[in-house]
Amino acid sequence: RHAVCIFYLVLRALDTIEDDMTISLDVKVPMLHEFHSYLYQPEWKYTESKEKDRQVLEDFPTISSEFRSLSKVYQDVISDICHKMGVGMAEFLEKKVDSQNEWDKYCHYVAGLVGIGLSRLFSASELEDPIVGQDTDLANSMGLFLQKTNIIRDYLEDQLEGREFWPREVWSRYAKKLSDLAKPENIDMAVQCLNELITNALHHVPDVLTYLSRLKNQSVFNFCAIPQVMAIATLAACYNNKQVFRGVVKIRKGQAVTLMMDATNIQAVKTIMYQYAEEIYQKIPSTDPSCHKTQQIVASIRARSLPHGPMASRHHYSPIYVSCAMLLAALSWQYLSTVSKAAEDLVQTGEN
């Protein structure tokens, strides 16, 4: 728990530097490259940030002190991921996401590495088997699925903030400029572009299911599974939805709480994935350019997620468990809502 907490705070500090547009590139790039070394400098802090999360930089000596109190195996994981992420962030500071391969690369730097780092921490703690931390492809897919979902959902918000994360290789087939997708006269092409990106993101779901099926610790499983089911629910809400280009598309609070309560075992998660894959399938327009690809990946998800038994019901739990779970769900939703509203997120640099 402490290692995950410090991992979060360290990456939040790194992300705050990357997000701060008041820091000149000649200052920011070296800081991103060297940020991992600051973990071992007791006095290092940065007091010039204008970002709302600047406290993590101003109080960095407190964070780095706690970091150095962790077991060396945890320190090595956090420092390594921090180094790789800083280098990746610097690479994309002046570079737009063009190809789908670059989209995957960008998402790897800002989210896939988080999944890999967390997985290595889970294995280092011996709460999970070594394979969880060793299989970096599956851990990377966990991060990519979340990151792509956020990027897809936040099209309009990012446009208003002057950020672009949709891959040019895709959107250029539907518009001359990415911003053109928000124009009412282009809505049909915009939705087709949206559907293609959602189809791309759905290809990570089989890896997600394989990854989750390996987890043994209940707390680790919940920690990993809840964001994933929230993501596929978000994609189902966004699929073929014009509202993505007009405002914010979010799943309902009650829906989020239900997902948090239900996603407690692999069969329940498979059931949830199946249900939302089916929801997407029912909305696939026969005229959509990506319809066949969407049908294929949805069919693959459904085949992997076929329910083989009743989904675990929260009604079987004790009243105390339900009360605690409801409190956790409420606090988690409040946190997620605040993060979304502020356009900040652990696994998303420069957005949500």
Side-chain angles (χ1 to χ4, degrees):
R1 181 180 60 192
H2 291 171
V4 171
C5 176
I6 296 303
F7 188 38
Y8 169 81
L9 291 173
V10 168
L11 296 189
R12 167 53 59 218
L14 177 65
D15 191 54
T16 300
I17 289 176
E18 196 276 340
D19 281 345
D20 195 333
M21 303 305 291
T22 68
I23 304 175
S24 63
L25 290 182
D26 61 332
V27 174
K28 182 183 292 188
V29 171
M31 285 180 70
L32 292 175
H33 281 161
E34 298 300 321
F35 195 83
H36 66 290
S37 69
Y38 303 152
L39 292 167
Y40 298 97
Q41 299 177 28
E43 304 302 321
W44 186 89
K45 59 183 175 180
Y46 186 72
T47 58
E48 306 301 320
S49 177
K50 302 299 188 293
E51 286 291 294
K52 73 175 189 66
D53 289 330
R54 59 186 176 275
Q55 184 179 354
V56 290
L57 295 172
E58 295 170 351
D59 290 344
F60 199 76
T62 302
I63 297 172
S64 66
S65 175
E66 290 297 325
F67 165 82
R68 292 188 300 276
S69 73
L70 296 173
S71 299
K72 185 177 184 301
V73 65
Y74 295 145
Q75 291 186 38
D76 290 346
V77 171
I78 294 172
S79 177
D80 180 53
I81 296 298
C82 186
H83 185 199
K84 291 174 179 175
M85 186 177 292
V87 171
M89 286 176 167
E91 178 182 336
F92 277 91
L93 278 178
E94 296 185 288
K95 173 180 168 183
K96 290 191 175 182
V97 179
D98 284 329
S99 68
Q100 293 187 65
N101 285 337
E102 284 182 331
W103 199 36
D104 281 358
K105 188 177 183 181
Y106 169 76
C107 291
H108 163 73
Y109 282 140
V110 300
L113 283 172
V114 179
I116 291 170
L118 287 170
S119 300
R120 289 169 62 186
L121 293 177
F122 297 152
S123 293
S125 71
E126 299 185 354
L127 292 173
E128 299 295 346
D129 291 337
I131 187 62
V132 172
Q134 294 167 356
D135 195 335
T136 56
D137 287 342
L138 292 187
N140 189 60
S141 277
M142 292 283 286
L144 263 61
F145 186 55
L146 300 182
Q147 183 70 9
K148 288 181 177 180
T149 297
N150 290 336
I151 287 174
I152 290 167
R153 179 198 62 196
D154 292 342
Y155 165 83
L156 190 60
E157 180 179 298
D158 287 335
Q159 281 293 302
L160 295 175
E161 294 292 333
R163 300 186 293 252
E164 294 188 354
F165 297 101
W166 284 24
R168 178 186 295 273
E169 179 183 341
V170 175
W171 64 254
S172 63
R173 293 197 289 268
Y174 300 93
K176 291 183 178 180
K177 296 186 298 182
L178 182 56
S179 57
D180 289 344
L181 295 179
K183 297 179 179 178
E185 62 269 25
N186 297 330
I187 192 61
D188 291 338
M189 296 295 280
V191 169
Q192 291 176 5
C193 181
L194 169 70
N195 291 347
E196 181 173 347
L197 291 180
I198 290 176
T199 300
N200 175 295
L202 289 172
H203 280 84
H204 296 292
V205 173
D207 279 353
V208 168
L209 292 174
T210 300
Y211 180 97
L212 293 176
S213 69
R214 290 176 173 173
L215 301 180
K216 297 178 178 180
N217 181 274
Q218 187 67 59
S219 294
V220 172
F221 184 90
N222 294 352
F223 182 84
C224 294
I226 289 173
Q228 301 295 329
V229 296
M230 300 269 277
I232 196 168
T234 298
L235 290 182
C238 290
Y239 185 80
N240 209 48
N241 188 348
K242 298 176 181 179
Q243 188 60 27
V244 171
F245 303 94
R246 298 169 178 166
V248 180
V249 175
K250 291 184 178 180
I251 59 177
R252 302 182 309 277
K253 290 185 179 181
Q255 184 181 3
V257 170
T258 298
L259 290 172
M260 292 176 186
M261 299 274 297
D262 286 343
T264 57
N265 61 77
I266 187 60
Q267 190 53 55
V269 169
K270 286 183 176 181
T271 300
I272 293 168
M273 292 289 191
Y274 184 96
Q275 291 170 344
Y276 284 111
E278 181 65 25
E279 181 178 322
I280 291 172
Y281 187 85
Q282 295 300 325
K283 296 195 289 187
I284 300 175
S286 59
T287 56
D288 189 276
S290 304
C291 70
H292 295 303
K293 289 183 179 179
T294 311
Q295 289 169 346
Q296 288 175 354
I297 184 57
V298 167
S300 176
I301 294 171
R302 291 192 300 186
R304 293 285 302 274
S305 308
L306 280 174
H308 298 296
M311 184 171 70
S313 171
R314 59 184 181 275
H315 298 299
H316 294 165
Y317 303 142
S318 71
I320 292 177
Y321 180 91
V322 173
S323 297
C324 292
M326 287 293 287
L327 177 60
L328 174 62
L331 292 173
S332 299
W333 178 260
Q334 182 180 23
Y335 166 74
L336 290 170
S337 297
T338 302
V339 167
S340 178
K341 184 177 180 182
E344 295 281 342
D345 189 56
L346 167 63
V347 297
Q348 219 170 343
T349 178
E351 67 192 53
N352 186 25

